[in-house]
Amino acid sequence: MICKVNEKRLQGIGVAANNLPFDFKAFEYLVNAVVIVNEELIVIYLNNAASDLYNTPKEDIIGRKLWDVFSEEWLTSEDKEIYTACFTQKGAWSGEYYHVNRFKQKFPVSASISSVKDAFGKKLGTIYVIQQAAKKEQTNPLLPPLDIDKQELANIIDTQALQSMMDNI
């Protein structure tokens, strides 16, 4: 079920409760955490797995900056450089690093991070598909996607609906 958000808190940024497109409901059935942010890094969607992973109710996250949900830490400075290069050049990255939740708990994650663009190539936001990693490993930009690949994500996301939702933020 798509969460009800704190409408009063979100009025300031123009987000209406429950304005997510129907297609996003498919993310609720994934075992991986899914977090979607707009260009200003404001969380516009997260699934139940993300709420569970970060131990925070959805209504406390939607409409807030991504860094209110988690911060990122890298195994090495080289790993962050690899991420930055891959994301800048390809609009996507897949690998392992650390997330630190709002309770300052640090844990390793495997993540696939991709830009979401409209039909004209304009960046609308970023999607994070995350799972808690069993062990720490060096990041590898060539890791295969998690349980769902980018093509499956593209088939799920209706970019026109996402654009409409982003326009409301």
Side-chain angles (χ1 to χ4, degrees), residues 57-110:
K58 288 180 181 184
E59 55 270 8
D60 290 349
I61 297 174
I62 294 176
R64 295 195 183 276
K65 286 285 194 176
L66 178 64
W67 311 128
D68 290 339
V69 181
F70 64 82
S71 61
E72 300 170 320
E73 289 188 15
W74 300 90
L75 299 171
T76 67
S77 60
E78 184 180 81
D79 289 339
K80 184 169 182 168
E81 291 171 12
I82 291 170
Y83 159 78
T84 302
C86 286
F87 198 76
T88 301
Q89 294 171 10
K90 299 180 181 184
W93 173 84
S94 185
E96 291 194 355
Y97 66 127
Y98 290 100
H99 280 187
V100 181
N101 67 17
R102 68 184 187 138
F103 304 108
K104 307 298 182 211
Q105 298 167 320
K106 178 177 168 179
F107 51 92
V109 297
S110 292

Side-chain angles (χ1 to χ4, degrees), residues 17-164:
N18 297 319
N19 69 340
L20 295 174
F22 175 79
D23 296 308
F24 278 49
K25 291 181 182 179
F27 289 136
E28 290 303 321
Y29 302 103
L30 296 179
V31 296
N32 294 332
V34 176
V35 179
I36 302 175
V37 297
N38 67 11
E39 274 295 274
E40 290 79 34
L41 297 178
I42 294 173
V43 177
I44 61 168
Y45 173 81
L46 73 153
N47 67 355
N48 291 328
S51 179
D52 292 345
L53 180 63
Y54 299 108
N55 196 26
T56 304
K58 288 180 181 184
E59 55 270 8
D60 290 349
I61 297 174
I62 294 176
R64 295 195 183 276
K65 286 285 194 176
L66 178 64
W67 311 128
D68 290 339
V69 181
F70 64 82
S71 61
E72 300 170 320
E73 289 188 15
W74 300 90
L75 299 171
T76 67
S77 60
E78 184 180 81
D79 289 339
K80 184 169 182 168
E81 291 171 12
I82 291 170
Y83 159 78
T84 302
C86 286
F87 198 76
T88 301
Q89 294 171 10
K90 299 180 181 184
W93 173 84
S94 185
E96 291 194 355
Y97 66 127
Y98 290 100
H99 280 187
V100 181
N101 67 17
R102 68 184 187 138
F103 304 108
K104 307 298 182 211
Q105 298 167 320
K106 178 177 168 179
F107 51 92
V109 297
S110 292
S112 287
I113 305 169
S114 298
S115 293
V116 177
K117 297 179 181 180
D118 67 14
F120 303 103
K122 178 184 176 210
K123 185 174 177 192
L124 302 174
T126 303
I127 183 167
Y128 294 75
V129 180
I130 307 155
Q131 67 185 23
Q132 192 162 355
K135 61 180 180 173
K136 298 172 277 191
E137 294 180 17
Q138 289 297 98
T139 58
N140 180 347
L142 302 176
L143 283 176
L146 301 174
D147 292 343
I148 185 167
D149 68 24
K150 283 190 275 184
Q151 185 58 48
E152 287 178 278
L153 286 175
N155 291 338
I156 293 172
I157 297 173
D158 176 347
T159 55
Q160 288 181 337
L162 182 60
Q163 176 66 53
S164 173

